[in-house]
Amino acid sequence: MKTIQVKPWGKDQGDFVLINEEDFDESVHERIDEGAKKGGKKPAAPAQDPVSKE
């Protein structure tokens, strides 16, 4: 069974809640990965350390 991440709806649920994909209800849940599916911004690439010259 596939699970998805949704935004928490209670204080003690942490950063996200995993639910079964078939239990997703748009009137109750908000997907965390929604931006990725609708062309949202990609995460920024990590900054690279400058090469030190010795």
Side-chain angles (χ1 to χ4, degrees):
M1 188 173 312
K2 187 175 177 184
T3 58
I4 59 172
Q5 293 179 357
V6 296
K7 290 189 177 181
W9 54 88
K11 288 184 177 183
D12 297 330
Q13 293 179 314
D15 294 334
F16 63 89
V17 178
L18 280 176
I19 64 169
N20 294 328
E21 186 175 43
E22 64 186 32
D23 294 333
F24 178 76
D25 180 349
E26 196 171 302
S27 66
V28 177
H29 306 112
E30 184 177 347
R31 290 180 70 133
I32 298 234
D33 59 350
E34 194 70 30
K37 292 190 176 204
K38 290 187 177 180
K41 292 182 180 179
K42 293 182 181 178
Q48 294 180 349
D49 292 333
V51 177
S52 61
K53 295 181 182 180
E54 293 183 28

